[in-house]
């Protein structure tokens, strides 16, 4: 089992920045690829970014490239998502997730472990 707790969400104006954190505990953090997903009201849960367990290679949704940066701190078992140039369309609940394996996936079904989510609201 992997337990995940997100923090860092909040209300920000368009063009602003937020950094989300996800503290992991339980099974070895380095055994899992990690990802961020988001879900807006009435919409499906969408892939935002992911990072591989080996080498820390990042992957991003096309809509987030150049604005978001995913990173992981193995020493502190923490995953981060730095979000810059935020837009009202980025408003959603953001979820941290741990993949079943070390391999990155953009599919929520490949992530059996989820945090409770943190709300990000971007005002225009």
């Amino acid at each position: 089992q992997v337990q995940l707790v997100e923090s860092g969400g909040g209300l920000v104006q368009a063009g602003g920045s937020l950094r989300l954190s996800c503290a992991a505990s339980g099974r070895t953090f380095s055994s899992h690829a990690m990802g961020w997903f988001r879900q807006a009201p009435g919409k499906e849960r969408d892939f935002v970014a992911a990072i591989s367990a080996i080498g820390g290679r990042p992957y991003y949704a096309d809509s987030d490239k150049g604005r978001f940066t995913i990173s992981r701190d193995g020493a502190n078992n923490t995953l981060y998502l730095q979000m810059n140039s935020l837009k009202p369309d980025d408003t959603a609940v953001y979820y941290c997730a741990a993949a079943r394996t070390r391999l990155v996936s953009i599919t929520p079904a490949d992530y059996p472990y989820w945090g409770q989510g943190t709300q990000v609201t971007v005002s225009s």
Side-chain angles (χ1 to χ4, degrees), residues 20 35-39 45-50 59-65 67-70 81-83 90 92-95 105-106:
L20 305 183
W36 288 98
F37 292 79
R38 64 187 177 191
Q39 189 167 19
R45 192 166 296 189
D46 291 331
F47 171 74
V48 175
Y59 297 82
Y60 299 99
D62 288 342
S63 61
D64 306 324
K65 286 180 181 177
R67 300 190 301 126
F68 293 1
T69 302
I70 188 172
L81 184 68
Q82 177 68 43
M83 305 187 294
D90 295 319
V93 177
Y94 283 69
Y95 296 91
S105 171
I106 67 171

Side-chain angles (χ1 to χ4, degrees), residues 47-110:
F47 171 74
V48 175
I51 188 166
S52 63
I54 305 299
R57 183 175 178 180
Y59 297 82
Y60 299 99
D62 288 342
S63 61
D64 306 324
K65 286 180 181 177
R67 300 190 301 126
F68 293 1
T69 302
I70 188 172
S71 60
R72 61 192 297 163
D73 180 351
N76 293 301
N77 287 355
T78 304
L79 179 73
Y80 300 101
L81 184 68
Q82 177 68 43
M83 305 187 294
N84 299 326
S85 302
L86 283 162
K87 307 172 184 178
D89 284 349
D90 295 319
T91 295
V93 177
Y94 283 69
Y95 296 91
C96 166
R100 187 169 290 107
T101 71
R102 290 186 172 94
L103 301 177
V104 166
S105 171
I106 67 171
T107 304
D110 291 330

